[in-house]
Amino acid sequence: MGRYILTILPEGQHHLSRSDYSHVLNEADQVNILALCYSLKIIEAFLQRLQQEFSLGVDPKGGQSLRGLEEAIFSATRHANHFMEVYASPRPAKS
């Protein structure tokens, strides 16, 4: 089990190397963390936009900023739930 990387050199030779399974898991962890971080940044952006609307006296009820904030929170929650599932379940033993 694992992943293989194929490199084609300029002279046309193929070089195949095996990537360790733990490396694949580490990359998946990084992607999960980045997804959660970006979700939080999106929430921050919508919250700032809502704060600006409040300061201008605009009622955001039913507006795009409020809907965007709600969607961003639900998306972040899905990412967090997935991330928690990944780390709450035991990882396969290294071989």
Side-chain angles (χ1 to χ4, degrees):
M1 185 181 280
R3 181 171 69 177
Y4 293 85
I5 300 171
L6 173 65
T7 307
I8 301 175
L9 303 173
E11 50 282 344
Q13 290 180 321
H14 293 88
H15 179 71
L16 185 66
S17 59
R18 187 173 187 278
S19 180
D20 189 17
Y21 187 66
S22 65
H23 180 71
V24 175
L25 291 177
N26 287 337
E27 284 183 350
D29 292 345
Q30 290 173 358
V31 168
N32 285 334
I33 291 170
L34 282 175
L36 185 56
C37 290
Y38 281 120
S39 294
L40 292 172
K41 294 301 285 180
I42 291 169
I43 290 170
E44 177 189 35
F46 276 113
L47 182 59
Q48 287 177 350
R49 188 170 173 183
L50 272 173
Q51 289 171 336
Q52 289 173 350
E53 290 176 4
F54 278 129
S55 70
L56 294 172
V58 175
D59 182 13
K61 187 175 181 180
Q64 181 182 3
S65 297
L66 189 57
R67 283 192 309 271
L69 179 60
E70 289 172 349
E71 290 173 14
I73 289 171
F74 290 135
S75 176
T77 301
R78 283 191 302 275
H79 285 125
N81 287 340
H82 171 73
F83 197 60
M84 290 166 55
E85 286 174 16
V86 166
Y87 284 99
S89 61
R91 289 282 175 106
K94 291 184 180 182
S95 53

